[in-house]
Amino acid sequence: MTTTAQNQLIAFVRDRFGDKAVTTDTRDIAPWTTDWRDRFHGSAPAILSPASTGEAAAIVAKARELGVPIVPQGGNTSMVGGATPPADGSALILSLRRMNRIRSLSADDNLAVAEAGVVLEVLHNAAIEAGRRFPLTLGAKGSATVGGLVSTNAGGTQVLRHGTMRALVAGVEAVLPDGSVHDGLSALKKDNRGYDLNQLLIGAEGTIGVVTAASLKLVPAVARHAVAWVGLDDPQAALGLLRTLQGASDSIESFEIIPGDSLALVLEHIPDTRSPLAGTHRWHALIEAVTTDADAPAPQDLLETRIAEAIESGTVADAVIAASEAQAEAFWRIRHSLSEAERAAGPAVQHDISVPVADMPRFMVEAAAAAEKRYPGTHATAFGHLGDGNVHFHVRAPADADPDRWYEKEAPGVSRFVNDLVVAAGGSISAEHGIGQMKLHELERLASPARLAALRAIKHALDPAGICNPGKLVALAPNGNAP
Amino acid sequence: MTTTAQNQLIAFVRDRFGDKAVTTDTRDIAPWTTDWRDRFHGSAPAILSPASTGEAAAIVAKARELGVPIVPQGGNTSMVGGATPPADGSALILSLRRMNRIRSLSADDNLAVAEAGVVLEVLHNAAIEAGRRFPLTLGAKGSATVGGLVSTNAGGTQVLRHGTMRALVAGVEAVLPDGSVHDGLSALKKDNRGYDLNQLLIGAEGTIGVVTAASLKLVPAVARHAVAWVGLDDPQAALGLLRTLQGASDSIESFEIIPGDSLALVLEHIPDTRSPLAGTHRWHALIEAVTTDADAPAPQDLLETRIAEAIESGTVADAVIAASEAQAEAFWRIRHSLSEAERAAGPAVQHDISVPVADMPRFMVEAAAAAEKRYPGTHATAFGHLGDGNVHFHVRAPADADPDRWYEKEAPGVSRFVNDLVVAAGGSISAEHGIGQMKLHELERLASPARLAALRAIKHALDPAGICNPGKLVALAPNGNAP
């Protein structure tokens, strides 16, 4: 049922910005009211699609005036239900997908200004055409958009060298909850004019404004790269290898850790995959080194020399360096298939967590053992971005359990158990996926009173009516006050 | 006159934390109530000096309860009156200087945790002893402290390669205005748990909390470096040279631009200085290249080769590369003496401004011409961090004017004129010094309504009673509401 206020907002947008700016057909809306993992199911009577920052600002101002909440949405690839509207249909979706222009791209300045709806892969290609690179990538690159990447401070597999979105954003343009426009696009390398609103908007998940565009930093194009697959005994050896490589060169761009069990699942469930190494190993690392200067020492030589030394010293058991682009891609395909293979093996409670890098090897092993002990029959594994201190920690249902019933019954308890371990290790319960609606209650349970009070105060100060992405990241009471 | 509430706070601190935590002798207080440039003169009945985060938290909580404002202070080297208490004696100074421990320093993790009162030079030396480097430096390194550097997002002469403090801070510990402690020290490379409070506190000038410690990123020690002095015709040629050098190598750490007139002032007013080049040039650049890997191409070779090419192509008129450490230091001494030499030449209205890097060469020339035309007889110069798009823009009194009277009469108008040019160029009226009390009114005049409303909302939300560094950065009305 659409409320009067919602109808007024819909009529306002159609009248001012035309039919293209409004979608009310339920069949067209349906794909955008569920997250891509099919965990969160929302409802929205309309999708509003501004074509410009001015249109977005007018829509937010009107929404504020009418008291209609809006849910900003890009590619709808949130891992935490961050872009799914509430189930009660109280909010409209504000889609940024029509704002998909790359406003400028300067190879000289190493900067691109991209609107919120630009798809990551499109940005990648535009940068490559200009002889540059935008050095952040992730599985959903064909759908994820700039606005969502900024709003979730997205990570991915190149964070080790280039940082998360926060490190790659030079400026932000956003519509604030009162409909005013924050123009922070001017790419100033130094700017100390008070609280950094750009930084505040990065990772804010659309709860205190709608990101409409960003200035993004580009880096030189890749000249040469090399990809290695390594077998080792434990995560501590992997971290030792990483530090050796980083000490020798700043070319290490990815360092992913993969348990032997997870590799086995990929080989079992994903067609056309084969193990890079002949033997079996308890742990594996996937390493990519990249140079931008054709005259620099070849990354292949670096990996060969250092890994050979590591084999000699016993740190590494076995290794292979990709001999072709096809082989390099095959190695990466294994890494990118991990989630799908795990899913094929049954439902797992998933956690995207971080602890200080130095503590991660021990944490991975000890937390997995603790979870399996506390939940007998489960299988706990961690894989991912070892060099960033960030792994995806999965606890899979016991083989003899009805997997769906087990998940429904145990998932909240398992998550609390794992998150408690993370907090005890000084870590974060959301490393790169954000809070969204999935982790809202765990954040409230585990964050320090100081942090929670500050989050609520900021949300209430900037969005007192609670119209921006309600129910995500930090909850306001229905009266708009801190609960 | 000390108020009852102030006396209660002083008694509370003395009683709880001993005599060392309280200074009430006016002779001991005097040096800390005036900024080091002697522009801002405040008054405070006491300096409170906690020895730990717990003590600082208790003091802030009590100050909040009693409604007594506090002014956080480190080395008192603010360029904008940011650490000077109000003139009416309503606030107490909260000195962080007793909190001067380096809590930890790990060469393996490339991290140091330093308390707010650690002096920058002490941190430099501790990092060097561990075979690492903290890559931010500035003229006041012997006095400036970590808390102030974080709270002002300090810059300096190595920003080109290593960024401002924001890029070097991995975590922040702070006492929030309600006396709670934000513990954000855990150096997580990825952490997406809502609005980034660390980022919010960096550059907040102590107005929404008191920084008590920071996790700081270290980099490898310098293996080799080279320093060049270059004569050129204009800033555009300088930027061209910088881009050539940056295209060839990522070792360029400093690139400072110096007008010929400013060099002449140094040679005239600073003892034991001599021009690095034989001839005279309209502009000069001071360049430093640094490598951390002894096997990498020598920075000296890079500078020699590329600068020789630039001389051949006519971009550069003349150049010399320091042949010894003593010569390198002599080049840098010229750069660091610019402000002193300018002062000796008479009072100047000074601006710390930034525009996008690509626009800076034109801005420097055109803004200087415009200022001299608008204020006949004045001399306008810009020098500093060309590669960061940040220069210090000075407008000096006419030779025939009474300099002090001229300054008093004209400075506000000159600043407004220059700041208008900066805003028209999409720049910032505070690149690296912050707002403090000096630029408060210009920020209110020039910031967009969206930005100002957001700054006020955040200040009001986190410090509703206005007890943290009152009258700095953003003003609250006396009732604690946004004005």
Side-chain angles (χ1 to χ4, degrees):
Chain A
M1 203 197 68
T2 317
T3 66
T4 309
Q6 288 177 334
N7 279 327
Q8 285 177 304
L9 180 56
I10 292 166
F12 168 84
V13 175
R14 188 173 276 131
D15 186 49
R16 287 279 293 272
F17 308 125
D19 286 341
K20 273 193 176 171
V22 179
T23 306
T24 50
D25 188 316
T26 50
R27 286 161 303 181
D28 296 334
I29 295 172
W32 306 100
T33 55
T34 294
D35 75 310
W36 73 280
R37 288 162 117 187
D38 203 25
R39 288 244 179 98
F40 299 95
H41 304 96
S43 170
I47 299 176
L48 308 178
S49 307
S52 68
T53 304
E55 289 187 14
I59 292 172
V60 172
K62 194 72 181 175
R64 168 75 167 259
E65 180 194 322
L66 293 166
V68 177
I70 51 108
V71 175
Q73 197 180 76
N76 195 27
T77 59
S78 172
M79 305 288 275
V80 290
T84 307
D88 63 5
S90 57
L92 305 190
I93 293 172
L94 184 74
S95 169
L96 281 300
R97 281 183 300 280
R98 283 180 71 209
M99 289 185 62
N100 62 358
R101 271 195 320 135
I102 295 178
R103 291 186 193 164
S104 66
L105 195 159
S106 163
D108 276 351
D109 296 339
N110 280 311
L111 279 177
V113 176
E115 290 184 343
V118 171
V119 169
L120 179 57
E121 195 162 25
V122 172
L123 178 65
H124 284 163
N125 293 337
I128 287 169
E129 264 181 48
R132 293 292 183 272
R133 181 165 69 124
F134 182 67
L136 182 138
T137 194
L138 35 73
K141 67 181 176 183
S143 308
T145 60
V146 164
L149 295 163
V150 172
S151 294
T152 60
N153 182 25
T157 51
Q158 295 169 348
V159 171
L160 188 60
R161 186 171 180 200
H162 300 285
T164 62
M165 275 304 274
R166 192 178 295 285
L168 297 171
V169 172
V172 174
E173 179 193 87
V175 177
L176 302 183
D178 63 359
S180 66
V181 175
H182 164 66
D183 178 2
L185 281 182
S186 188
L188 301 173
K189 293 205 170 185
K190 288 180 171 176
D191 181 11
N192 278 342
R193 284 176 294 170
Y195 319 131
D196 195 319
L197 301 182
N198 289 349
Q199 295 294 337
L200 193 58
L201 288 158
I202 297 168
E205 303 185 20
T207 60
I208 48 174
V210 180
V211 172
T212 48
S215 296
L216 300 166
K217 299 177 192 172
L218 306 177
V219 299
V222 173
R224 290 194 284 188
H225 77 133
V227 177
W229 187 281
V230 168
L232 346 85
D233 285 342
D234 54 57
Q236 193 65 55
L239 185 59
L241 176 62
L242 172 60
R243 288 205 157 138
T244 300
L245 291 169
Q246 285 181 316
S249 161
D250 62 359
S251 67
I252 305 302
E253 199 162 281
S254 303
F255 194 102
E256 302 282 308
I257 188 158
I258 299 150
D261 296 348
S262 301
L263 172 61
L265 287 178
V266 170
L267 302 179
E268 184 184 343
H269 294 286
I270 309 294
D272 304 322
T273 51
R274 56 185 291 266
S275 176
L277 298 172
T280 57
H281 302 277
R282 294 185 59 196
W283 294 88
H284 302 259
L286 172 60
I287 307 164
E288 178 150 359
V290 167
T291 55
T292 57
D293 180 354
D295 298 334
Q300 174 125 4
D301 296 347
L302 168 82
L303 292 183
E304 273 176 8
T305 311
R306 301 295 175 171
I307 292 173
E309 287 168 9
I311 290 176
E312 204 144 308
S313 74
T315 313
V316 165
D318 194 8
V320 56
I321 293 176
S324 66
E325 281 303 310
Q327 202 176 4
E329 276 168 31
F331 291 0
W332 272 110
R333 184 158 171 255
I334 292 172
R335 165 64 184 89
H336 289 309
S337 303
L338 285 173
S339 288
E340 191 184 334
E342 295 259 350
R343 262 199 301 279
V349 192
Q350 305 186 357
H351 311 83
D352 156 50
I353 57 165
S354 65
V355 301
V357 177
D359 303 334
M360 184 51 95
R362 216 174 62 161
F363 181 86
M364 291 172 71
V365 173
E366 292 182 358
E372 289 176 357
K373 187 175 169 202
R374 171 68 184 76
Y375 295 93
T378 60
H379 185 73
T381 50
F383 66 89
H385 323 298
L386 181 67
D388 308 324
N390 168 210
V391 294
H392 301 297
F393 190 96
H394 293 187
V395 180
R396 205 159 66 232
D400 55 359
D402 175 316
D404 290 327
R405 279 188 53 194
W406 177 86
Y407 187 88
E408 202 171 311
K409 179 162 165 276
E410 301 285 2
V414 170
S415 278
R416 283 194 297 271
F417 181 82
V418 172
N419 288 339
D420 284 345
L421 296 175
V422 170
V423 170
S428 169
I429 63 165
S430 177
E432 60 178 5
H433 293 167
I435 298 299
Q437 47 187 307
M438 190 169 102
K439 298 187 179 180
L440 189 62
H441 298 297
E442 280 294 88
L443 182 70
E444 300 207 329
R445 185 174 74 85
L446 293 168
S448 72
R451 181 190 286 267
L452 267 187
L455 296 185
R456 286 176 181 151
I458 293 165
K459 167 73 176 175
H460 183 251
L462 295 179
D463 183 21
I467 64 152
C468 278
N469 214 5
K472 314 293 168 28
L473 200 158
V474 55
L476 284 185
N479 63 2
N481 288 320
Chain B
M1 203 194 69
T2 318
T3 66
T4 309
Q6 288 177 333
N7 278 327
Q8 285 177 305
L9 180 57
I10 291 167
F12 168 84
V13 176
R14 189 172 276 132
D15 186 49
R16 287 279 294 273
F17 308 124
D19 286 340
K20 271 193 178 172
V22 180
T23 305
T24 50
D25 187 319
T26 49
R27 284 161 305 181
D28 295 334
I29 296 171
W32 307 101
T33 55
T34 294
D35 74 309
W36 72 282
R37 287 162 119 187
D38 202 24
R39 288 243 180 97
F40 298 95
H41 304 96
S43 172
I47 299 176
L48 308 178
S49 306
S52 69
T53 304
E55 291 188 13
I59 293 173
V60 172
K62 194 71 180 177
R64 169 75 167 260
E65 181 193 322
L66 294 166
V68 176
I70 51 106
V71 176
Q73 197 180 75
N76 194 27
T77 58
S78 171
M79 305 289 275
V80 290
T84 307
D88 63 6
S90 57
L92 304 191
I93 293 172
L94 183 75
S95 171
L96 281 300
R97 282 183 300 281
R98 282 180 72 209
M99 291 185 61
N100 61 358
R101 272 195 320 135
I102 295 178
R103 291 186 193 163
S104 65
L105 195 157
S106 163
D108 276 352
D109 296 339
N110 280 311
L111 278 177
V113 176
E115 290 183 343
V118 171
V119 169
L120 178 56
E121 195 162 25
V122 172
L123 177 65
H124 283 164
N125 293 336
I128 287 169
E129 263 180 49
R132 292 294 182 270
R133 181 165 67 125
F134 182 68
L136 181 138
T137 193
L138 36 72
K141 66 182 176 184
S143 309
T145 60
V146 164
L149 294 164
V150 172
S151 295
T152 60
N153 182 25
T157 51
Q158 295 169 347
V159 171
L160 187 59
R161 187 171 179 198
H162 301 285
T164 62
M165 275 303 276
R166 193 177 297 283
L168 298 170
V169 172
V172 175
E173 177 193 88
V175 177
L176 301 183
D178 63 0
S180 65
V181 175
H182 163 66
D183 180 2
L185 281 182
S186 189
L188 303 172
K189 292 203 173 188
K190 288 178 170 178
D191 181 12
N192 279 343
R193 285 176 294 172
Y195 319 132
D196 194 319
L197 301 183
N198 289 348
Q199 294 294 338
L200 193 58
L201 287 159
I202 297 169
E205 305 187 17
T207 60
I208 50 174
V210 180
V211 172
T212 49
S215 296
L216 300 165
K217 299 178 193 171
L218 306 178
V219 300
V222 173
R224 290 194 285 187
H225 76 134
V227 177
W229 187 281
V230 168
L232 347 83
D233 285 341
D234 54 57
Q236 192 65 55
L239 185 59
L241 176 62
L242 171 61
R243 288 202 157 141
T244 301
L245 291 169
Q246 286 182 316
S249 161
D250 63 359
S251 67
I252 305 301
E253 199 162 280
S254 303
F255 195 103
E256 301 283 308
I257 189 160
I258 299 150
D261 297 347
S262 300
L263 172 61
L265 286 178
V266 170
L267 303 180
E268 183 185 342
H269 294 287
I270 310 293
D272 304 321
T273 50
R274 55 185 292 267
S275 177
L277 298 173
T280 58
H281 302 276
R282 293 185 60 196
W283 293 89
H284 303 259
L286 172 61
I287 308 164
E288 179 150 357
V290 167
T291 56
T292 58
D293 180 354
D295 298 334
Q300 174 126 4
D301 296 347
L302 168 82
L303 292 183
E304 273 176 8
T305 313
R306 299 297 173 169
I307 293 174
E309 287 168 11
I311 290 177
E312 206 145 306
S313 74
T315 314
V316 165
D318 195 7
V320 56
I321 293 177
S324 66
E325 280 303 311
Q327 201 175 9
E329 277 169 29
F331 292 179
W332 271 110
R333 183 156 172 258
I334 292 171
R335 166 64 185 87
H336 288 309
S337 302
L338 286 174
S339 287
E340 191 185 335
E342 295 257 351
R343 262 199 300 280
V349 192
Q350 304 186 357
H351 311 84
D352 157 50
I353 57 166
S354 65
V355 301
V357 177
D359 303 335
M360 184 51 94
R362 216 175 62 163
F363 181 86
M364 291 171 71
V365 172
E366 291 181 358
E372 290 177 356
K373 187 177 167 199
R374 171 68 184 77
Y375 294 93
T378 60
H379 185 72
T381 51
F383 66 89
H385 322 298
L386 180 67
D388 306 324
N390 168 211
V391 293
H392 302 298
F393 190 96
H394 293 185
V395 180
R396 205 158 65 233
D400 56 358
D402 174 317
D404 291 327
R405 280 187 55 193
W406 177 87
Y407 187 89
E408 200 170 314
K409 180 162 164 278
E410 300 285 0
V414 170
S415 278
R416 284 194 296 271
F417 181 81
V418 172
N419 288 340
D420 284 345
L421 295 175
V422 170
V423 170
S428 168
I429 64 165
S430 178
E432 60 178 5
H433 294 166
I435 299 298
Q437 46 186 308
M438 188 168 101
K439 297 186 179 179
L440 188 62
H441 297 297
E442 280 293 89
L443 182 70
E444 301 208 327
R445 185 174 74 85
L446 293 168
S448 73
R451 179 190 286 268
L452 267 186
L455 295 185
R456 286 177 182 150
I458 293 165
K459 167 72 176 175
H460 183 252
L462 296 178
D463 183 22
I467 64 151
C468 279
N469 213 6
K472 313 293 167 31
L473 202 158
V474 56
L476 283 185
N479 62 1
N481 288 320

